[in-house]
Amino acid sequence: MFDNKNILIMGMGVTGKSALKFLTNYPCKIYVYDENKNLNEENIQEDFVIFNIYDLEKINLIVKSPGIYPYHEILDKARELGIEIISDIELSYRFLKSENVVAITGTNGKTTTTTLVKDILQRQNKTFDVGNIGNGILDITNKAAKEDYVVIEASSFQLEDTKKFKPHIALLTYVTSDHLDWHGSVENYINAKFKIFANQDENDFGILNYEDRNMQNVASIKSKKYYFSTDPISEMGAFVKDGVIYYNDGMSSQPIIKTSEIKIPGEHNIKNVMGAIIIAKILGIDNEKIQQSIKLFTGVEHRIEFVRELKGVKYYNDSKGTNPDSTDVAIKAMDGNVILIAGGYDKGASFDTMIKNNKDKLKLLILFGQTAPKISKVCKKEGLDFYIVKDLEKAVNLSFNFASEKDDVLFSPACASWDMYKDYEQRGRHFKNIVKELI
């Protein structure tokens, strides 16, 4: 497929290094570009050529890491020259042998659903969870056999650069505006998400939130459509009735599990569980294995993660809350009055709806990072108390001083981490370490 081709890898983070290692198995010449690294000092074992802009006319294919801005000048020139630009999941798909490819995307809920789906499916057969979840898909591409399950958490950045990618089962948790600084508009962002269904046919399965059924993009989906809803529905999929999740295969509905047996908090997680159930049932997993997995599943790190209780106050790490919609969901999942620690890198999102929807639950906001002034303006408008501090340590200590018994201190930034941290994981670990030192 790539014999005697010249391939450019843009970005030498986890994705780029994985792509380089993968492509060295094929007879192609590999160029590498990363404007933020001295590639001669990276201690990379594989052979490559450091890319120069004058090399562009020689390039046949570009593998773009998710962190590379889509309108980078190299990419703009490449498009003018008609050079194909693809993501790591597109590259992997062209070589994958597995016939059981499951892809999951959405503004929120991707990681939780992907992790739960993997937990269920591995009870039946060998399963790989890869993609935006942190495990490189190219690292397992040549390992996954025809009968193995491959569960991909796909970001909008990765999906935007797909051409032939065709998962057998595709799940869209839900879509709201996010990454507007990257995609340029809500429409572009939604279109990128819906690319997960683009190449599916009537032999494949598309799973959607019932609330999104009237979106214009849904009509273009050619695969069999399944829905999940917290209210009873007649469509194929999953729904809740009298505190029980039912699965409807189009012939009849069967009870799967009580919502009270789900350990992860919040209505949004009931929806995530329903999405996982639909995937498992389509793949023929029996109810007992599904139930066992759900009953034991306690969630993922950095997503409404309980850290500790101190003097009657509960502390939660939701560093994965990187947009206002995600933080809105986290606030609603809290039982007590909420002291919200928020702020970070500005992706161009609006915080008005998030704060207005929860003003009766928010006792205090403690803000830091690039977006602190922007969020504070909304607080003033809604009449909510707030403080702006210089860093996360100051924020946690201030929350400790103001929290009363039965309050919840929620660290859910509603923003990306890139103004002060490498990623949301580093940010979340820092929060947990600070909280654990409180006395």
Side-chain angles (χ1 to χ4, degrees):
M1 187 183 293
F2 293 145
D3 290 9
N4 303 315
K5 301 286 187 183
N6 294 324
I7 301 176
L8 169 61
I9 298 171
M10 287 189 69
M12 281 306 286
V14 173
T15 299
K17 289 176 180 175
S18 179
L20 176 60
K21 190 174 181 180
F22 177 81
L23 287 168
T24 51
N25 296 309
Y26 300 92
C28 55
K29 187 174 182 180
I30 305 167
Y31 293 77
V32 169
Y33 171 86
D34 194 315
E35 61 189 11
N36 298 316
K37 293 181 178 179
N38 184 338
L39 295 171
N40 289 315
E41 297 178 358
E42 281 290 300
N43 194 29
I44 299 169
Q45 304 300 313
E46 293 79 17
D47 292 333
F48 64 90
V49 178
I50 295 177
F51 175 79
N52 185 296
I53 190 65
Y54 302 110
D55 296 320
L56 191 58
E57 291 191 3
K58 307 174 193 172
I59 300 299
N60 305 110
L61 175 74
I62 295 176
V63 180
K64 181 179 97 54
S65 297
I68 300 293
Y69 185 62
Y71 302 106
H72 191 288
E73 62 174 341
I74 292 175
L75 296 173
D76 283 341
K77 289 177 182 176
R79 293 183 187 102
E80 290 174 11
L81 293 170
I83 300 169
E84 187 178 26
I85 302 164
I86 64 173
S87 64
D88 59 329
I89 60 173
E90 175 68 22
L91 175 60
S92 171
Y93 181 75
R94 297 183 185 187
F95 290 87
L96 267 174
K97 301 179 188 71
S98 170
E99 294 182 350
N100 298 309
V101 176
V102 177
I104 297 167
T105 194
T107 305
N108 297 305
K110 297 185 294 295
T111 303
T112 299
T113 308
T114 300
T115 307
L116 177 57
V117 168
K118 190 228 176 161
D119 193 86
I120 296 171
L121 298 185
Q122 68 184 0
R123 296 167 187 268
Q124 180 85 6
N125 203 358
K126 190 171 184 179
T127 305
F128 300 93
D129 59 331
V130 293
N132 197 50
I133 199 167
N135 305 319
I137 187 170
L138 291 167
D139 293 337
I140 63 92
T141 299
N142 291 328
K143 297 176 185 175
K146 182 178 178 181
E147 66 278 4
D148 294 341
Y149 297 120
V150 176
V151 187
I152 305 168
E153 180 187 331
S155 71
S156 58
F157 305 151
Q158 292 168 311
L159 289 169
E160 191 165 45
D161 294 304
T162 54
K163 306 290 188 299
K164 300 176 182 177
F165 180 58
K166 182 179 179 289
H168 183 48
I169 303 174
L171 166 65
L172 178 59
T173 58
Y174 71 97
V175 185
T176 57
S177 61
D178 195 16
H179 300 297
L180 301 188
D181 60 324
W182 203 266
H183 293 285
S185 69
V186 174
E187 183 180 13
N188 289 344
Y189 173 66
I190 292 173
N191 289 340
K193 289 294 190 187
F194 269 84
K195 284 193 78 174
I196 200 169
F197 304 110
N199 297 311
Q200 287 190 309
D201 57 36
E202 62 276 3
N203 297 313
D204 300 313
F205 302 88
I207 304 168
L208 300 117
N209 188 331
Y210 189 69
E211 295 171 7
D212 291 340
R213 67 192 184 282
N214 294 321
M215 290 183 73
Q216 186 176 350
N217 310 63
V218 173
S220 66
I221 298 174
K222 299 182 182 69
S223 52
K224 299 183 184 75
K225 288 192 276 290
Y226 284 66
Y227 294 94
F228 56 89
S229 172
T230 50
D231 295 313
I233 56 173
S234 57
E235 283 81 354
M236 291 190 297
F239 62 88
V240 178
K241 182 180 179 182
D242 299 328
V244 176
I245 295 176
Y246 288 82
Y247 173 71
N248 177 8
D249 62 2
M251 304 286 287
S252 62
S253 297
Q254 56 178 295
I256 304 295
I257 195 167
K258 295 177 182 177
T259 56
S260 60
E261 294 178 285
I262 299 171
K263 286 189 168 64
I264 44 179
E267 184 180 286
H268 67 290
N269 276 321
I270 294 174
K271 294 179 180 180
N272 293 335
V273 168
M274 285 192 283
I277 287 170
I278 296 170
I279 291 170
K281 294 303 295 181
I282 289 171
L283 290 172
I285 310 298
D286 65 61
N287 291 352
E288 186 178 353
K289 288 176 182 172
I290 295 171
Q291 291 160 0
Q292 285 173 349
S293 184
I294 294 170
K295 288 176 182 178
L296 293 171
F297 187 69
T298 55
V300 297
E301 188 180 16
H302 309 300
R303 189 65 182 116
I304 318 182
E305 177 192 7
F306 176 71
V307 180
R308 71 180 291 198
E309 183 172 343
L310 178 63
K311 298 180 180 179
V313 177
K314 292 178 181 176
Y315 292 80
Y316 291 89
N317 166 35
D318 190 53
S319 184
K320 206 173 189 306
T322 58
N323 57 66
D325 292 289
S326 183
T327 295
D328 177 78
V329 164
I331 296 168
K332 287 180 169 61
M334 297 293 103
D335 293 325
N337 291 324
V338 177
I339 295 177
L340 177 67
I341 300 174
Y345 177 82
D346 191 352
K347 294 191 288 183
S350 167
F351 303 95
D352 293 70
T353 302
M354 175 192 87
I355 291 174
K356 187 175 182 179
N357 283 352
N358 298 288
K359 61 186 297 184
D360 293 335
K361 203 167 186 178
L362 291 168
K363 175 179 177 178
L364 174 69
L365 287 90
I366 302 173
L367 311 172
F368 74 110
Q370 190 182 75
T371 56
K374 185 175 179 180
I375 302 172
S376 72
K377 289 179 182 177
V378 185
C379 293
K380 286 179 185 176
K381 187 169 69 174
E382 297 297 335
L384 287 169
D385 292 332
F386 68 90
Y387 285 88
I388 295 178
V389 296
K390 71 173 186 177
D391 57 32
L392 185 53
E393 189 167 2
K394 292 282 186 188
V396 173
N397 288 328
L398 194 60
S399 73
F400 175 74
N401 292 335
F402 279 99
S404 304
E405 190 175 351
K406 294 187 178 179
D407 284 347
D408 294 320
V409 173
L410 172 65
F411 175 48
S412 186
C415 305
S417 59
W418 306 317
D419 60 335
M420 300 176 78
Y421 296 90
K422 182 182 75 172
D423 51 35
Y424 75 82
E425 293 166 319
Q426 183 190 55
R427 180 173 66 181
R429 287 192 293 269
H430 188 206
F431 172 77
K432 290 194 288 184
N433 288 337
I434 298 168
V435 169
K436 287 171 184 175
E437 290 174 2
L438 292 173
I439 55 174

